[in-house]
Amino acid sequence: MPPPVPTSKPSKKGRSAKAHKTPDSPDSSYEDAPPPPVRGSGASAAKQMSSPGFDDDEDFSARRPSPAYSDVGDDPQHDPKNILEDVPETTIGENVKVTGNLAFEKLLRIDGSFEGQLESEGDLIIGRSGTLVGDVAGMGELIIDGKVQGNLSADKIELRAKASVFGNIICKSLTMDPTCVVVGQMNINPFAPGEIGTDLKEVKPPEPEKPAEEKTEEAPKADETPAAEEKKEEAPPADPPAE
């Protein structure tokens, strides 16, 4: 005897279409189903919800923009300055070597080699192929991608990529990538080039001592005679000896 033929189709595995019907559907077989879950394990799902677009929280924190370079409203006084967008008034090319004294007003870019003294209160950019041999003092902002052999003193210094500095650094603000090299002493504080104490207040240098005045003995005047001579003159003449 042949087996009986089923009169209804077998149910399919998985969620049925009824679970996704809306309550407005006239079908009385509506089932109140929860929303479809986020695919993946619980840990990965939590990461997707907390830090979308990043692999983990550390990666997300590392890629967050620095507050110093974030947008702060439309106030032009708070717009971050980017000297890389400015056109330098003087540029030392990659295959150029300059030796001596160089004075400029606003911005200098070194992609070649310079050895000597820089005279300016402006800004300085040293490219990856740039080399500076000499001291920098009294400038505004320095962005260094290359190599420096000398002491640096400025308001703001940024060391990028594989920059190397063989000398002392004095500034109010320093930004440095972990791949940079610095061989020298650092003095970084809001009062630079001045010193700062443990109480975070400026340490004023001591005032120089005034040289002591040397006392000189005055020579006696011509009309003045020593007291001993005056006494001799005032003394009466001695009596003659008795016979």
Side-chain angles (χ1 to χ4, degrees), residues 2-82:
V5 179
T7 57
S8 62
K9 296 183 180 180
S11 60
K12 296 182 180 180
K13 295 182 180 181
R15 190 179 301 276
S16 63
K18 295 180 181 180
H20 300 286
K21 291 183 179 180
T22 61
D24 300 334
S25 176
D27 192 352
S28 61
S29 62
Y30 167 75
E31 297 178 3
D32 188 9
V38 180
R39 295 185 178 275
S41 62
S44 61
K47 290 179 181 179
Q48 293 178 12
M49 297 175 64
S50 61
S51 304
F54 299 98
D55 296 335
D56 50 26
D57 292 337
E58 294 181 359
D59 192 14
F60 173 73
S61 300
R63 298 188 186 184
R64 285 183 301 176
S66 172
Y69 297 97
S70 60
D71 295 335
V72 188
D74 298 331
D75 189 355
Q77 296 181 357
H78 294 87
D79 290 341
K81 178 183 177 182
N82 188 2

Side-chain angles (χ1 to χ4, degrees), residues 62-145:
R63 298 188 186 184
R64 285 183 301 176
S66 172
Y69 297 97
S70 60
D71 295 335
V72 188
D74 298 331
D75 189 355
Q77 296 181 357
H78 294 87
D79 290 341
K81 178 183 177 182
N82 188 2
I83 62 175
L84 294 175
E85 297 179 356
D86 298 339
V87 178
E89 59 182 326
T90 305
T91 302
I92 299 177
E94 185 173 352
N95 298 322
V96 178
K97 183 177 181 180
V98 179
T99 303
N101 297 343
L102 179 60
F104 62 95
E105 182 179 357
K106 295 181 179 180
L107 178 60
L108 168 67
R109 182 182 180 97
I110 300 176
D111 290 324
S113 175
F114 178 82
E115 180 177 357
Q117 182 178 359
L118 296 176
E119 299 177 359
S120 176
E121 296 182 355
D123 304 324
L124 174 64
I125 299 174
I126 301 179
R128 293 185 179 182
S129 59
T131 301
L132 171 63
V133 180
D135 297 337
V136 174
M139 289 194 183
E141 182 177 357
L142 308 181
I143 295 181
I144 301 174
D145 278 340

Side-chain angles (χ1 to χ4, degrees), residues 146-170:
K147 183 178 181 180
V148 177
Q149 297 181 19
N151 300 325
L152 302 179
S153 177
D155 292 338
K156 179 181 179 181
I157 298 178
E158 181 179 355
L159 305 180
R160 307 175 58 179
K162 296 183 178 180
S164 60
V165 178
F166 296 87
N168 302 331
I169 294 178
I170 300 176

